Amino acid sequence: MTSPRRRNLRAASFMVAALALAGCTADAAPAETPEGFVELPDQPWTPADEDTTLGSSDEEIPDADEIPQPLHVGSIDPIGADEVLLVGETWNLEVSSQVIDPATGEATAKFATGPGIWDAVIHPFVGSDPEDPAVLAQEVWRPRGTRGAADFTISTYSGNLLEPDEIEMADYTRAHSRWGSSVVTDDGRYFAFWDDALYGIRVYDVEKGEETGALQLLGCGPFTWAVGHDIYSVCEEERQIIQLSIGKDGMIEDAGRAEVLPDDFVSNRHASQSFDAGQSLLVSANGDVFVFDLSDGLPSDPVAPIGNAGQGSGRFAQSFINNPATSMVISYTDSAIHPHSVDAGDEVKLILSDPADFTTLATLELAGMGLTSLDAFGYSVDGKTLYVVGSGADETLTIVGYDAHTGAETSRAVIENFTDSPSRLLTPQVIG
């Protein structure tokens, strides 16, 4: 006797076989539109004019004939030669950066970019038109959890910011994202960066939107200092400064090496560049201060440090050189806990020095600056002013300007409505 359960299973088997046979002899019926499906119209973005209300401005409820309303979008103001870029915290999925006018504290443009592994890779540019490149960012856009691979891109933001020029990099690229490990050539054509997976350098043609060259260089890097289409870096173990040339086809080759570094040379995490003078600043992890003159190619004579940044009253942290190579600045703290945390100790100060011989130009202490914290600092485009960002006595975010050679205060303004915690101040680069 056959049980009801067995009869049901046999009937189900016959049904599956019949359906499979029907699928072999006829096309499947088209899927029906699911209930509640809404097909949205493809609406173009319309440039805003003087009569368009944007942002928080109140708008009247439109008539039925005016629905759907035009989607308006405005263009950014290009970054001016008298402005700087203030970068927010880089540990989130997005980092917010704002262009700041130091004279007024006004934020004139805002960018949201996807940071890399460590520091955010962001290069701001001076522009004259909204369509000029404003910010180039090397980004990593990650999905939730394990739902697919991350996208690695090189994005250039300009115009309305809604449609950045985007270069999708191969998923085997792993950009070293410390400050100074990437550079845009001064004509804006090539973007070169140190790749941790390659153990070398990669070059992208920003104009064509493609990778043009790569070169493995074990034991070298991770700095990229550009003079024209030549990229310079260091090879620590061989005590060499290396010159890498980008050809007309975008390929990069080892163009020469100079074994000019001292026997006790050690590298560090970050470096800075003087774009106008073709000089580069590297403060070694042991405090030795090197200023490499690369304006005429590789140096032929041995390179010696111009001094040592170590002090008994404090440990050095960040360092920058201005574009004309007439002033450099190093931040100090007396904390023994973390040498890269400038606010960690009781004593916080900036020392301005002459890059030629490390002569002290001025010392700026936190209390004397009228600040309770030191959040970010950097030079103006022309190199005449050092800007310092920190909290004022009333906890307002403040930007203070100082003469880069005397340390005299030249300006002070409150930064209104900065939407993140500042972590870095970047000098826009003049390209073209």
Side-chain angles (χ1 to χ4, degrees):
M1 183 175 180
T2 305
S3 67
R5 179 175 180 273
R6 185 167 296 178
R7 284 198 302 270
N8 290 339
L9 287 174
R10 185 179 299 171
S13 300
F14 289 151
M15 181 64 71
V16 169
L19 288 174
L21 184 60
C24 295
T25 57
D27 294 333
E32 295 182 2
T33 302
E35 185 177 353
F37 177 80
V38 176
E39 185 174 354
L40 299 176
D42 185 14
Q43 287 186 261
W45 291 96
T46 304
D49 55 30
E50 59 183 9
D51 298 324
T52 303
T53 53
L54 295 172
S56 59
S57 302
D58 291 334
E59 297 185 33
E60 296 181 359
I61 298 176
D63 296 331
D65 295 338
E66 297 176 345
I67 297 176
Q69 289 181 279
L71 300 177
H72 291 104
V73 61
S75 292
I76 63 165
D77 292 327
I79 303 177
D82 56 349
E83 296 178 318
V84 293
L85 188 73
L86 188 58
V87 181
E89 291 290 347
T90 62
W91 298 107
N92 301 316
L93 292 178
E94 287 188 349
V95 55
S96 175
S97 304
Q98 291 180 220
V99 181
I100 303 296
D101 180 349
T104 63
E106 179 186 3
T108 61
K110 178 181 177 181
F111 304 88
T113 58
I117 301 173
W118 298 108
D119 301 319
V121 180
I122 298 174
H123 296 268
F125 309 111
V126 174
S128 57
D129 185 88
E131 297 302 322
D132 291 338
V135 162
L136 181 145
Q138 195 165 40
E139 302 175 310
V140 183
W141 295 108
R142 303 185 184 279
R144 292 173 56 196
T146 58
R147 300 177 186 176
D151 290 327
F152 296 82
T153 67
I154 300 170
S155 304
T156 301
Y157 292 87
S158 61
N160 61 26
L161 302 185
L162 297 174
E163 300 171 337
D165 291 330
E166 190 171 90
I167 304 170
E168 186 168 353
M169 299 188 295
D171 59 6
Y172 53 75
T173 56
R174 292 296 182 271
H176 189 90
S177 61
R178 295 295 191 186
W179 303 106
S181 63
S182 63
V183 71
V184 178
T185 57
D186 55 13
D187 60 356
R189 178 67 183 272
Y190 295 106
F191 176 59
F193 63 92
W194 216 262
D195 189 315
D196 286 340
L198 175 68
Y199 293 101
I201 198 164
R202 289 192 190 277
V203 177
Y204 275 77
D205 186 322
V206 179
E207 219 173 77
K208 294 183 178 179
E210 62 186 21
E211 180 183 334
T212 58
L215 190 63
Q216 189 176 67
L217 296 160
L218 298 177
C220 301
F223 309 116
T224 50
W225 303 307
V227 179
H229 284 179
D230 290 324
I231 307 296
Y232 295 88
S233 193
V234 297
C235 300
E236 183 174 344
E237 293 184 3
E238 287 79 14
R239 306 292 186 259
Q240 296 172 335
I241 299 178
I242 185 172
Q243 179 181 2
L244 310 168
S245 292
I246 302 174
K248 293 182 179 180
D249 57 357
M251 295 293 290
I252 190 165
E253 62 178 6
D254 191 336
R257 301 182 179 217
E259 193 173 336
V260 294
L261 299 175
D263 292 339
D264 61 349
F265 173 80
V266 293
S267 190
N268 205 339
R269 291 182 176 182
H270 302 108
S272 176
Q273 178 171 359
S274 160
F275 281 98
D276 294 345
Q279 298 189 29
S280 302
L281 171 66
L282 174 61
V283 181
S284 296
N286 63 3
D288 283 342
V289 180
F290 291 90
V291 178
F292 303 127
D293 187 349
L294 308 170
S295 57
D296 293 324
L298 289 171
S300 55
D301 298 326
V303 176
I306 61 173
N308 191 282
Q311 291 192 352
S313 61
R315 304 184 70 176
F316 58 91
Q318 297 182 12
S319 59
F320 298 98
I321 189 171
N322 68 350
N323 277 333
T326 58
S327 177
M328 57 173 285
V329 61
I330 299 177
S331 61
Y332 288 88
T333 176
D334 62 354
S335 168
I337 300 173
H338 197 312
H340 293 282
S341 178
V342 72
D343 273 338
D346 296 325
E347 180 182 354
V348 177
K349 62 184 176 182
L350 299 172
I351 296 182
L352 290 161
S353 305
D354 189 330
D357 54 12
F358 204 47
T359 302
T360 298
L361 300 174
T363 299
L364 304 173
E365 297 187 353
L366 194 63
M369 290 187 283
L371 301 174
T372 59
S373 69
L374 177 60
D375 299 325
F377 59 96
Y379 286 101
S380 59
V381 173
D382 60 12
K384 295 180 180 179
T385 307
L386 174 74
Y387 291 112
V388 181
V389 175
S391 296
D394 53 357
E395 298 302 318
T396 56
L397 190 62
T398 304
I399 182 166
V400 189
Y402 296 94
D403 186 289
H405 305 101
T406 67
E409 183 175 325
T410 59
S411 65
R412 182 179 291 262
V414 173
I415 298 176
E416 299 285 356
N417 302 319
F418 188 72
T419 56
D420 205 336
S421 299
S423 66
R424 193 83 169 182
L425 189 147
L426 300 182
T427 304
Q429 182 182 346
V430 178
I431 59 173

